[in-house]
Amino acid sequence: TLFPYTTLFRSGYVRGGCTAIGMKKQYPVFVHESAQALPKMIVSAGKIGHQMELAPEDFIAASKGRFCAIVRD
């Protein structure tokens, strides 16, 4: 069974309201290298129903992430 949307999980975050930018704890962020070719990308803004559009390089900088080959052939 699914938990109600208002349920807080062990992390303390509301389900569906998470983003790699502005987390309480810095988790590793990996973005597929193909995203580098995109002029813009849309990611969660940290609140249910909200997104933000930004350049992939800006997302990597803000999330302290990295581009990598995360898919094996």
Side-chain angles (χ1 to χ4, degrees), residues 3-63:
F3 291 105
Y5 257 77
T6 55
T7 301
L8 294 177
F9 293 100
R10 291 183 195 179
S11 68
Y13 292 104
V14 176
R15 179 177 169 245
C18 298
T19 181
I21 301 171
M23 298 281 271
K24 296 174 192 171
K25 180 179 175 186
Q26 183 64 48
Y27 292 98
V29 176
F30 305 100
V31 178
H32 192 269
E33 59 194 2
S34 64
Q36 294 177 87
L38 300 172
K40 300 279 182 184
M41 58 191 286
I42 298 172
V43 298
S44 173
K47 186 174 181 183
I48 295 173
H50 291 80
Q51 294 81 37
M52 60 182 147
E53 181 178 312
L54 66 167
E57 294 79 15
D58 294 336
F59 177 73
I60 292 296
S63 66

